[in-house]
Amino acid sequence: MTAHRELPLLVLLAWECLDQHRRGRCGKCAETGFCPLVEAARGRIRQWRRFRHVWGWR
């Protein structure tokens, strides 16, 4: 029996941020395409994946 693990709220919000930026730009997006919100969301998702890997959540 495998336990269903839910994503933390902040990780879900990070995915939502990335989804919204795929559809359009926000007020903080630069002309070059850089957005600090996207970078923060990507970093949070990377940290969550690293945490999951270390603690064996797959």
Side-chain angles (χ1 to χ4, degrees):
M1 179 176 160
T2 59
H4 174 70
R5 300 190 192 270
E6 294 184 17
L7 288 175
L9 178 62
L10 292 176
V11 176
L12 288 173
L13 293 175
W15 280 112
E16 181 64 28
C17 176
L18 293 181
D19 287 341
Q20 288 181 3
H21 276 83
R22 283 188 195 112
R23 287 185 238 125
R25 298 170 67 168
C26 73
K28 293 187 179 190
C29 289
E31 291 297 321
T32 60
F34 175 80
C35 182
L37 297 175
V38 170
E39 292 304 314
R42 286 179 181 158
R44 186 174 307 277
I45 291 168
R46 277 193 298 270
Q47 288 173 349
W48 173 246
R49 286 180 175 166
R50 221 175 288 134
F51 174 82
R52 255 188 4 195
H53 179 74
V54 168
W55 290 99
W57 292 7
R58 302 205 187 258

